[in-house]
Each structure stands twice: as structure tokens, then as C-alpha cells.
Amino acid sequence: MDIDKLSSGTCAISRGLALVGDAWSALILRDASRGMTQFDQFRTSLGIAPNILSRRLKALTEAGVLEKRRYSERPPRDEYVLTDAGRDFIPVLAAMGEWGRRYNGGGQALSHLVDESTGAPVRALVVDEASGRPLREVPMRLVMPDEAT
């Protein structure tokens, strides 16, 4: 897959996938949204090889989705925290989780989001900001940059 081509074309989806389109990156962002910040926390949670985790953290940091901060000088240790771009990805993860529960849940009890203040389940729904309608109900077409809107 040509990441340079994906990240420089006119398709917004391919540009997003170029930054966070592999499973490890999405799961790292999931864990970061749950408050994990340290290398060992990610490694334990994901069962990921250290070299793969290092590469993904570096790529997510370079993409501006995570910020690397030093929290210990001796020994040198860094933490990884979500940036605004990373926090803006949380609803995407929530929508992916809803879709996974609905279409790949297999009747099993799966993890789910709850509102911390009320304990009520949170059901992610992607809506059109202008109309408030669920996006799946909005008739849409893709407009290319060179087309008049």
C-alpha cells in the first residue's frame, strides 16, 4: 500500500486511513482514550511486540494525533497523550464499536461505553451536524474538488 499516495490524494477517507488506518493504531488510540499514556500500559493491554508499538507510537506522534511528553529524566521515560486531533478521533472509535457490536457481536456480551456521570449506556450515532439527522438516512453523493457544489 502506498501511504504517500493515500495521504496526498483528494479522498478524505484515504487521508484519514493513512494516519490511523491500521488496527494497532486504532487500538492504541482506543487505549489512550481510556487514559493509558505509558508504553508498558499499551504493551500490556494490547499484547503487542515492542518494536511494532514503538513504530506506531512514533507514527501517531508524527501525525499529530498523540503528543510525546517526558515524565521522568532518570530513567528517561515518555508518555503519550491525545492531542485535539486524537480526541476528535474518539467518536470515530465509538461509531466503529457500535458497528462491531451490531454486525460482529455474535450474541456475546461485549464492552460498551457508559456515561460516567449517569452510568447510562452511550450509543454512538453519526449525525449530520447541520440537520441532526442520522447520516445513514441522509441521501449523499461525493463531490470531487474540481466539481461545483
Side-chain angles (χ1 to χ4, degrees), residues 47-127:
I48 186 175
N51 61 323
I52 295 172
L53 178 56
S54 292
R55 282 197 306 265
R56 293 308 190 284
L57 288 170
K58 182 179 183 205
L60 290 167
T61 301
E62 289 173 353
V65 182
L66 290 176
E67 179 183 343
K68 184 176 175 179
R69 294 182 188 161
R70 178 70 35 114
Y71 72 88
S72 172
E73 291 298 331
R74 291 185 190 258
R77 297 274 190 248
D78 297 312
E79 65 180 355
Y80 299 86
V81 296
L82 292 168
T83 62
D84 285 340
R87 285 185 291 280
D88 282 349
F89 194 71
I90 293 171
V92 176
L93 291 170
M96 287 172 62
E98 279 301 321
W99 187 84
R101 267 185 295 289
R102 180 173 294 159
Y103 295 106
N104 199 18
Q108 295 180 15
L110 301 175
S111 62
H112 61 280
L113 298 171
V114 296
D115 182 317
E116 282 192 16
S117 61
T118 67
V122 172
R123 301 268 328 252
L125 174 67
V126 180
V127 299

Side-chain angles (χ1 to χ4, degrees), residues 6-20 142-145:
L6 280 178
S7 64
S8 63
T10 60
C11 178
I13 294 171
S14 66
R15 284 182 174 237
L17 288 172
L19 296 181
V20 294
L142 183 64
V143 178
M144 299 306 288

